[in-house]
Every structure is written in C-alpha cells, then in structure tokens.
Amino acid sequence: MERYREMAGENAFFTALKTGEILLFWMGKQLLPPGNLFMAIASINPTTGETLQTFTPHSDADIEDKLAAAQTAFERYRRTSLDRRAQWMRAAADLLESDSGKFARLMALEMGKPIQAAVGEIKKCAWVCRYYADEAPNFLTDVSIDTDARHSFVRYQPLGAILAVMPWNFPFWQVFRFAAPALMAGNVAVLKHASNVPQCAVTIEKIFQEVGMPAGVFQTLLVESDRVEKIVADSRIQAATLTGSEAAGSSLAATAGKHIKKTVLELGGSDPFIIMSSADLDKAIETGIQARMLNNGQSCIAAKRFLVADACADEFQQKFLEKFQTIQMGDPLLEDTQLGPLATPQILQDLHWQVRESVEKGAKILCGGSPPNDSQGNFYPPTILTDIPIDSPAYREEFFGPVALFFRIPDIDTAIAVANSSPYGLGASVWTQEETEIERFINELSSGSVFVNGMVKSDPRLPFGGVKLSGYGRELGREGIWEFVNIKTVWIGE
Ligand code: NAP
C-alpha cells in the first residue's frame, strides 16, 4: 500500500471499506476496483470509470486442468494437416470480419480505443490469420541442404504449449499476431492477457472455439501476473512470449531461463521520428501526428521523440502545434473521436507524473500538460514538450500517452546520437530525400526497424521486434513463425 501511496503522491487517498477491501483514489479517480489491491481482474470503462464486469481468477485446480488439456490437445493437433489448420484459421478470419463491430466495441468499452481504430485492429487480425493460413506451408516446408549425406535437410516441427503473456493496448492484435503463426506451426497456446481486458481475453478464446479449433488448442487463463512464474516453470509449457514492460519481460525471462525455455520479448519503445531539412514537411507532420496519437498514444511503436533539423524546426513546431490542438478528444464510441481516454487511471497518473517531473527539470509545455478536472474518465490532452533536459524523464523514458517530445538537431550525427541514446530500440521513422542520409540511418540506428518517409507499423509480412530494452526475438513474417518451432536437422547417409 505504501508503494501505491508514494506513487500516487499527495493527491491520493485510501478508503477502507467495512468488508476490509481497499479503494485507492487519485484526483477523484478510483485507481483499482474494490477488492484486494493486487488481485483485480476486472473490466472498467476508462471513459466513465464504471466497473463493467469482474472476474474470479482461475484456481490452481483450473490451471492444472487447462495445462493438462493443452498437453492432450497438442498430441493430436500436431498431427493435423496444415490444410486443416489453415481452414480453422481462415474461419477465424471470417468470424473476426463478420463481427468486427461487436469486437471493436468491446475494446472501446474495456480499454478506450477509438471505435474506428478498433475496427481496423480487428480487420488486421483477420489479415494475419489469412496470411499465415496461406504462407505457413511455404515457411514450414523442408529445406534441403547439400552436404556429404545422401540427403540432408531442415524440418520445422512444433514445440508444444506456448504461453503468451499479453498487454491491453492492442487486446486483439497482440494475441492474434502471436496465435496465427504459433497455431499454424502446430503448437497449442495458453493466453494470460492483461488483467484489465478480461472480456477481450475470454472472447478471443470463444472465437477459436466457435470456428471448431479442437478443445485445448487455444485457452485463456484468467490469472494475475504473480501467478505467471509457476505457469512458466510448469513442464508442460515449452516456451513463452511476453509483450509488455521491461519489468514483466525480465521477470518472465528469468524464470524461463532458469528452466531452459525459449522466450520472445516485445517490450517498450521510445521511437525517434527524425525529420531532416530535405523532408516533405507537411507529409511528415501529418504522419507524425498520426504516429504519435496511435491508440491514444499508447503504442510501443508510436513516434515519441521528434528530432527535427534546425533548418525546419520552427516551421515544423508551429504547424504541428496547430494541427495537434485540433485533435478531437472524447468518447471512443463516437465515430469522430480521435483521442479516447487512457486505459487505466494508473497510466494517466504515471504519464502526468512524467510530464510534471520533466517540467520541473526544465522542459517547456507547448500545449496540454494536465488532465481535465471535469471528467470521470482517464483523459489526457494532446501535449507537447520542448527544451527537454537530458536528466528528465522525457529524455530517457517511454511516454505512454498523447505527449510529443520535441528535440532540435543541428546535423545527422546528432540525430543518430540522440536517437540511439534511448535505452530502447524498437522502431525509427526517418524523413529525408538524401540517399546518403538514408543509408546512414539504416546502418547506424539501433532499432529493430527503420521506416523511411513513412510511419513505423507492424505488417504480417514483415518481421517485428526490437533490440536493447525493447526486447528480442521477432514476431510476424517468416521469422515470426520460426520462433516457436524445433528447427530439426536431418542427415541421411547411404
Ligand atoms: P505490463 O504491465 O508489463 O503488462 C503486460 C502483461 O504482462 C500483462 O498481461 C501483465 O499482467 C503481465 N505482467 C505484468 N507483470 C508481470 C510479471 N512480473 N510477470 C509476468 N507477467 C507480468 O505492461 P503494460 O505497461 O500494461 O503495457 C504496456 C507496455 O507494453 C509498454 O511498455 C509498451 O511499449 C509495451 N508494448 C510492447 C509491444 C511490442 O510489440 N514491443 C507492443 C505493445 C506494448 P497484469 O495485467 O495482470 O499485470
């Protein structure tokens, strides 16, 4: 409790209920639902603060049943044909598309995603299902290699039950981009989703059930994060993937390492968006705003740090500011809303602390900078910080919300140095017409991807992942399906 009081600061107060349950409030917002502070699996509408549904976590006996079911399912499922798996995957794509409005609404209600973006997310899930249904046979086909053998080749075989620990920010996409390749490769999946999106978690399990995937092939575990360690250690789990914070990734990987299990980690990012003087400035500004505001600013690959060449920095700042201030903030269920609430009061509180602390260190606020005090929801306005000191959170931390950080850079050497000074290395977007600059950015930026004259985005056809504190391993593309397979060498003599 003291940890929460310290984090929440002077605006926080606690209320003990007669039942012994504790409520924590911050600036009039309830931070956690009634119940044990550390054991809450609940849907709480971030627009209104209303608790939509609470869930009783699965018991240890439930988990035991599910892991046993996964094990049993794997023995049969691994023997199903790729054609059969592809039929299920395509059926899942069809169902996602036909009920896209329903699933999108669920995300808007549970974590505040603007409805248009939510529909887009569901369509992308359908795309990744079809992509792997089509491409898995190519990616998994035997590869012959000439050696001294009569025949030597590589065969790709499934590993077994894979645990996926997923975040709330893209509640469907994060799960499907893991599940489509993992299941097409013949693995079975157990999902531990973020505790604030349990309805999405349960719905995804139902989607796979409804299209006829055999029982046990995809299961959702409703568990709190402190129970993940035991699940990772269980001998029926062969490998694990986690998308989320460094703390969570490090904890899961430590346990997996102890038990010699492979992991993929997709962690945070503070992507640079670099604009050189030859850039198409209007296009860069339009794209930059879109890239910063993606998912209410809560995306790992959002453009977070804008590094702008001195020569065009004034014009960039003025035009960006004008457009940024017109962004429509409001109810995510309304079609014209561009910026919904942050997913939880905790995220709002963390973001505001980072802004205040950066300002205290010397950063200047160009717009925004504090939450509206007339709202029940977790709203934070579009905010721009300039003159960012090197010792401030804005310089080194990930800002998970609608806050753009501006830096002026005198030349490409400084742009690369500032971009690489982040402990993260997920994506980078660079804007220039100069071929020599493009080559330098591609070669010298420490990131899992470089997008030139475009925004960083995930695409089923392209590998996705990071370096440094952004994690390791790759999702999507050919590389994504190879993360959770046994790459078996076969050597046959005369
Ligand atoms: P988080 O707290 O780490 O939560 C992510 C998931 O990990 C949740 O399911 C969470 O469960 C679980 N978890 C938390 N602590 C854990 C632990 N010690 N052991 C095992 N599991 C644990 O992450 P978040 O802050 O909600 O999510 C945002 C972060 O994810 C950002 O840093 C963002 O950049 C990153 N992200 C990265 C990518 C990528 O592809 N690289 C994509 C999206 C998001 P509970 O909810 O029960 O705590």
Side-chain angles (χ1 to χ4, degrees):
M1 165 121 39
E2 276 317 306
R3 187 166 70 89
Y4 275 87
R5 190 189 295 283
E6 205 176 288
M7 286 191 314
E10 62 198 21
N11 289 315
F13 66 90
F14 295 90
T15 304
L17 303 181
K18 278 185 188 155
T19 56
E21 292 171 328
I22 296 161
L23 301 181
L24 171 59
F25 289 86
W26 175 72
M27 291 185 76
K29 299 179 206 312
Q30 190 180 314
L31 275 186
L32 292 163
N36 184 318
L37 271 178
F38 304 100
M39 298 186 64
I41 297 183
S43 275
I44 300 173
N45 186 337
T47 309
T48 60
E50 180 197 356
T51 298
L52 303 171
Q53 204 176 339
T54 54
F55 290 76
T56 306
H58 285 134
S59 66
D60 286 349
D62 296 332
I63 302 297
E64 173 53 38
D65 289 350
K66 285 175 183 288
L67 293 181
Q71 172 99 330
T72 308
F74 177 61
E75 288 312 318
R76 290 176 69 110
Y77 184 69
R78 66 186 302 186
R79 293 179 174 81
T80 56
S81 68
L82 273 165
D83 271 357
R84 188 68 193 97
R85 291 176 209 158
Q87 280 168 13
W88 285 316
M89 210 46 81
R90 290 197 183 95
D94 292 345
L95 180 55
L96 282 161
E97 278 176 350
S98 63
D99 278 351
S100 61
K102 184 174 91 182
F103 302 138
R105 189 178 153 77
L106 191 54
M107 284 192 275
L109 285 172
E110 208 166 36
M111 48 68 68
K113 192 181 297 280
I115 194 76
Q116 302 256 33
V119 170
E121 179 168 337
I122 298 299
K123 290 186 175 158
K124 199 164 167 184
C125 293
W127 181 18
V128 81
C129 289
R130 292 204 181 97
Y131 172 76
Y132 279 105
D134 292 345
E135 296 299 334
N138 300 331
F139 298 153
L140 300 174
T141 200
D142 290 352
V143 176
S144 290
I145 297 170
D146 280 344
T147 66
D148 56 337
R150 177 166 62 83
H151 185 202
S152 49
F153 60 94
V154 171
R155 177 160 295 175
Y156 301 95
Q157 293 185 312
L159 293 178
I162 316 293
L163 172 69
V165 180
M166 290 293 154
W168 45 266
N169 62 343
F170 293 90
F172 276 66
W173 170 243
Q174 302 289 358
V175 176
F176 276 91
R177 84 176 182 184
F178 148 74
L183 300 190
M184 279 307 298
N187 296 297
V188 301
V190 284
L191 167 69
K192 179 267 179 280
H193 218 324
S195 295
N196 58 323
V197 289
Q199 294 196 66
C200 290
V202 169
T203 302
I204 293 168
E205 183 183 55
K206 279 194 194 133
I207 290 172
F208 284 117
Q209 282 169 357
E210 271 180 42
V211 299
M213 275 280 182
V217 171
F218 184 99
Q219 299 178 88
T220 287
L221 311 179
L222 291 174
V223 289
E224 311 84 346
S225 54
D226 60 359
R227 292 169 68 200
V228 170
E229 188 176 344
K230 195 171 164 202
I231 298 167
V232 176
D234 190 287
S235 62
R236 289 162 292 192
I237 295 293
Q238 300 303 318
T241 180
L242 181 142
T243 301
S245 60
E246 302 105 81
S250 168
S251 163
L252 174 126
T255 308
K258 188 170 163 202
H259 297 275
I260 325 288
K261 293 180 186 185
K262 178 163 186 183
T263 48
V264 168
L265 299 181
E266 296 286 2
L267 309 178
S270 187
D271 285 6
F273 191 97
I274 303 173
I275 297 155
M276 302 304 285
S277 55
S278 62
D280 177 340
L281 204 58
D282 290 335
K283 190 152 177 241
I285 290 168
E286 193 191 322
T287 312
I289 290 174
Q290 202 190 338
R292 175 59 280 201
M293 301 312 282
L294 195 65
N295 201 35
N296 306 333
Q298 306 159 115
S299 165
C300 53
I301 47 169
K304 291 173 187 138
R305 296 176 295 147
F306 291 85
L307 280 47
V308 189
D310 272 336
C312 54
D314 287 337
E315 188 185 349
F316 173 84
Q317 189 167 303
Q318 188 207 328
K319 286 184 169 171
F320 192 103
L321 173 66
E322 276 166 21
K323 284 194 189 295
F324 213 47
Q325 284 175 317
T326 65
I327 286 167
Q328 189 74 25
M329 182 164 82
D331 183 347
L333 286 171
L334 301 176
E335 294 280 325
D336 54 0
T337 292
Q338 295 165 297
L339 174 61
L342 298 173
T344 67
Q346 185 67 57
I347 295 159
L348 172 64
Q349 184 203 333
D350 290 348
L351 183 71
H352 189 46
W353 180 89
Q354 287 174 307
V355 169
R356 274 188 327 185
E357 193 67 11
S358 299
V359 170
E360 210 141 280
K361 295 274 184 198
K364 295 200 171 64
I365 295 178
L366 209 56
C367 66
S370 55
N373 44 21
D374 58 347
S375 161
Q376 284 303 304
N378 312 323
F379 289 97
Y380 204 80
T383 296
I384 299 174
L385 296 185
T386 65
D387 302 276
I388 293 163
I390 202 160
D391 61 345
S392 67
Y395 198 90
R396 58 180 190 274
E397 293 179 9
E398 177 181 34
F399 274 47
F400 223 50
V403 181
L405 310 169
F406 282 4
F407 299 82
R408 285 171 184 252
I409 40 129
D411 51 40
I412 187 166
D413 292 323
T414 314
I416 292 169
V418 173
N420 288 348
S421 67
S422 166
Y424 298 106
L426 198 51
S429 174
V430 299
W431 293 74
T432 173
Q433 300 301 324
E434 303 286 338
E435 286 303 323
T436 50
E437 289 181 348
I438 292 174
E439 267 307 297
R440 281 203 62 193
F441 283 130
I442 295 170
N443 286 328
E444 296 178 38
L445 287 173
S446 327
S447 55
S449 66
V450 174
F451 282 66
V452 181
N453 299 328
M455 72 186 257
V456 178
K457 57 183 187 235
S458 59
D459 178 321
R461 298 163 294 188
L462 296 170
F464 182 97
V467 295
K468 304 198 285 184
L469 288 191
S470 293
Y472 52 76
R474 291 294 178 265
E475 292 190 288
L476 302 176
R478 172 191 300 270
E479 291 75 9
I481 201 167
W482 285 345
E483 290 287 359
F484 296 120
V485 290
N486 175 14
I487 300 175
K488 185 181 273 180
T489 297
V490 182
W491 190 99
I492 304 171
E494 294 303 330

